[in-house]
Amino acid sequence: MRVPRLLWALGCERGIHSLRGKLTLANVVLLALGIVAATVVSVMGMRYYLLDQIDTELTKTRDSLGGSQLTLREIDSLSVLGFVRDRLAPQTLEEQPRPDSIFAAVDSGGEPVGILGFQPTDVQRDLADAVDDPRTLIEDPEPHDVTVQGADYRVTGTRLADGTQILLATSSEGLHTGVAKAVKFDLAIGTLLLALLACLTMFSVRRRMRPLEDMVETSSAIAEGDLTRRVPSSREATLEVEQLRLALNSMLHQVESAYRTRERSAAQLRRFVADASHELRTPLSAIRGYLQLYDKGMLSDPDERKRAWERVLAETDRMGRLVDELLTLARLDQQPELRFRNVDISRLVRDAAEDLRVQQPDRPITVDADGSLLVHADESGLRQVLGNLMGNVRTHTPADAPVRLGVERADGVVRLCVADKGPGLGPQDAARVFDRFFRAGGGAGSGLGLAIVQGVVRAHGGEVSVRTAPGEGLAVTVTLPGRAAVRS
């Protein structure tokens, strides 16, 4: 599964928690606020305009009636037809339509009075009841809102020449109905606009965020180990995204370089520490063995003491060279050149066997290295090979397990064989025996002994092989080129 698709699915699942969702939500919220504000302003303006028309008509009627200096008796004739119509119409509120305008006369106590002998209608009584104080209404130049029989009216008042108080009311139901329809229409249009904006925003943000998804895909690939990946350029990238891409690629290049350098340094440090501990163990063990023999008085013969002292000096010198070489490797990060010369490999084999006898006196050791066999090689490297092989025998076999050391020249090559009668290895372990840091069964040692043997042998142009089976021990054969090899 590609990373962008996975991120798209995650973004859909997270909803508004994703950047795409947040941008879309922000645009929708802003548009919603704008629509609400525009709707409120337009509705308030429309309401104010319609209400002003109603109030203007009421005010004109009030001013005309109040300025005419008419009495209630004089205006009775103007209302006869209206009162007759109200009396002849059905009296049930359910069937009687609400009048758009109401004209009522009240006395000084606020009670409705009849006109032309007709008693006040229910609507006129309700209007008089809705108005608490007609005098306050007459003195206020602005009409008031009242509710008559469940309907909204705008009402004002005036006083006739004979002191009669007149209440004039006009229905505002049409105003409220128009405002409600306008609000519904605005909400419907606003909802459609919000849905359209959400779709357009999602599409636009997805297209604009494609370079960011490429960056996430590249980062994921790098996190999985592909440090060579870089963020590709995009035809739709904005200036800021392109600057981010260039900065990210520059940072990734620096990270890759730093990571490679760190890996090389860490690997070199591990090899240095392991090689140092492994290589210094063998000469230190030999020196300790000779010193213990001397301390216990077991070197009574002067020749034996001299030989032991020479071996201690030789091992000390070798250890010093090893330390110098390891320090040089740590400083220069390269292997020192091998110092090739004619070396008596038979003598090296006998020395290794003698060292092993000193370290493990109870181990049966067989040596087949009589005489002298010269080979063109680096003596320190060959001692390192033998020391590692002996260390492998000491570490991984019982102290009483027999071991055989032999060297021979055949078919133009020199073969050095170290075979023990230890537990041996299985096929899988045998296939990895030369791997660095491999230890069969998690045993002792650093796991570098045979790897170092293989490295030194290959540096000499030779090869190394093993022959083993469970319960049959381990035989390591080192094959060196027979160039300048002389048997005597």
Side-chain angles (χ1 to χ4, degrees):
M1 178 181 293
R2 291 179 58 83
V3 175
R5 294 181 181 176
L6 178 60
L7 294 176
W8 170 257
L10 292 176
C12 293
E13 292 178 358
R14 294 178 180 176
I16 63 173
H17 296 290
S18 64
L19 179 59
R20 185 181 294 109
K22 290 181 178 180
L23 291 175
T24 303
L25 180 62
N27 288 343
V28 170
V29 168
L30 290 176
L31 180 60
L33 293 176
I35 292 175
V36 170
T39 301
V40 170
V41 171
S42 63
V43 168
M44 293 298 294
M46 183 179 67
R47 183 180 183 278
Y48 176 80
Y49 174 76
L50 295 177
L51 195 62
D52 183 67
Q53 284 187 328
I54 295 174
D55 292 346
T56 300
E57 293 295 330
L58 280 175
T59 303
K60 286 181 179 180
T61 303
R62 180 193 66 186
D63 295 342
S64 298
L65 189 60
S68 64
Q69 298 298 320
L70 296 175
T71 63
L72 180 62
R73 184 176 296 277
E74 292 173 346
I75 66 173
D76 279 345
S77 59
L78 300 176
S79 305
V80 170
L81 295 178
F83 281 101
V84 171
R85 182 195 62 190
D86 294 339
R87 290 299 178 179
L88 295 179
Q91 297 300 314
T92 57
L93 293 177
E94 291 79 2
E95 298 177 359
Q96 182 178 359
R98 295 189 182 94
D100 292 335
S101 299
I102 303 175
F103 179 88
V106 296
D107 56 17
S108 59
E111 295 295 328
V113 298
I115 300 176
L116 292 177
F118 291 102
Q119 294 297 322
T121 64
D122 294 338
V123 175
Q124 291 172 334
R125 294 180 184 277
D126 291 340
L127 176 61
D129 293 338
V131 176
D132 296 332
D133 187 0
R135 287 174 297 182
T136 303
L137 187 64
I138 293 171
E139 294 173 357
D140 192 350
E142 296 294 330
H144 291 189
D145 288 318
V146 295
T147 301
V148 178
Q149 294 183 352
D152 294 329
Y153 286 82
R154 294 285 287 178
V155 62
T156 187
T158 187
R159 185 176 286 106
L160 298 179
D162 59 358
T164 303
Q165 301 176 110
I166 301 300
L167 300 180
L168 302 172
T170 300
S171 176
S172 59
E173 284 294 310
L175 180 149
H176 296 302
T177 302
V179 170
K181 290 182 179 180
V183 170
K184 291 180 181 179
F185 179 77
D186 289 346
L187 290 178
I189 297 299
T191 301
L192 292 178
L193 289 177
L194 289 177
L196 180 61
L197 177 66
C199 296
L200 293 178
T201 302
M202 290 291 290
F203 175 77
S204 177
V205 170
R206 182 181 182 184
R207 184 168 59 88
R208 294 297 180 184
M209 288 183 63
R210 194 164 299 158
L212 298 181
E213 293 178 350
D214 294 338
M215 295 180 188
V216 174
E217 182 181 5
T218 301
S219 301
S220 301
I222 292 175
E224 293 175 358
D226 187 5
L227 298 179
T228 61
R229 290 287 296 272
R230 296 293 183 270
V231 180
S233 60
S234 176
R235 293 177 297 179
E236 302 176 354
T238 59
L239 176 61
E240 293 79 4
V241 174
E242 184 64 16
Q243 291 176 345
L244 177 61
R245 183 188 71 84
L246 295 176
L248 183 59
N249 282 342
S250 177
M251 182 191 69
L252 292 177
H253 178 72
Q254 297 295 332
V255 169
E256 181 184 5
S257 301
Y259 181 80
R260 300 298 184 193
T261 303
R262 175 179 174 273
E263 286 295 311
R264 286 195 297 268
S265 299
Q268 293 165 4
L269 180 60
R270 287 194 299 268
R271 286 195 298 268
F272 169 76
V273 174
D275 291 347
S277 61
H278 200 81
E279 294 301 322
L280 293 176
R281 185 183 306 158
T282 301
L284 287 174
S285 299
I287 294 172
R288 185 183 298 110
Y290 285 115
L291 292 178
Q292 289 176 352
L293 290 177
Y294 179 81
D295 183 61
K296 295 179 180 179
M298 301 178 65
L299 301 176
S300 57
D301 186 64
D303 294 335
E304 292 180 353
R305 288 198 300 270
K306 181 180 178 180
R307 182 178 180 278
W309 181 248
E310 291 176 352
R311 292 293 302 135
V312 167
L313 292 178
E315 292 297 333
T316 303
D317 183 61
R318 178 193 168 201
M319 183 173 59
R321 289 197 305 271
L322 289 175
V323 171
D324 292 339
E325 290 178 358
L326 290 173
L327 291 176
T328 302
L329 288 174
R331 295 190 187 100
L332 303 179
D333 191 24
Q334 62 182 7
Q335 291 286 346
E337 295 183 1
L338 299 178
R339 296 186 290 271
F340 285 93
R341 62 186 181 87
N342 289 334
V343 180
D344 185 359
I345 191 171
S346 297
R347 179 176 60 84
L348 298 183
V349 171
R350 292 193 297 268
D351 290 343
E354 188 64 25
D355 294 340
L356 185 59
R357 287 194 183 97
V358 172
Q359 297 170 20
Q360 295 180 332
D362 297 332
R363 181 186 295 274
I365 300 175
T366 303
V367 181
D368 185 9
D370 297 333
S372 176
L373 179 59
L374 299 180
V375 61
H376 192 69
D378 179 76
E379 181 177 357
S380 177
L382 293 183
R383 288 188 179 277
Q384 184 177 17
V385 169
L386 286 169
N388 287 356
L389 293 177
M390 295 298 99
N392 191 63
V393 170
R394 292 194 311 270
T395 303
H396 300 288
T397 62
D400 58 351
V403 60
R404 177 183 175 277
L405 289 79
V407 60
E408 63 177 356
R409 181 177 182 273
D411 302 328
V413 295
V414 175
R415 291 189 178 91
L416 168 65
C417 180
V418 177
D420 61 64
K421 296 297 183 181
L425 298 174
Q428 294 181 349
D429 291 339
R432 300 184 54 197
V433 72
F434 293 110
D435 292 347
R436 288 176 177 256
F437 306 106
F438 173 74
R439 290 175 292 183
S446 65
L448 289 172
L450 292 181
I452 295 174
V453 169
Q454 186 182 54
V456 173
V457 172
R458 286 181 176 177
H460 283 77
E463 60 182 17
V464 58
S465 61
V466 297
R467 185 180 69 256
T468 183
E472 297 183 4
L474 175 69
V476 180
T477 302
V478 175
T479 303
L480 298 174
R483 181 181 53 183
V486 179
R487 183 78 182 194
S488 60

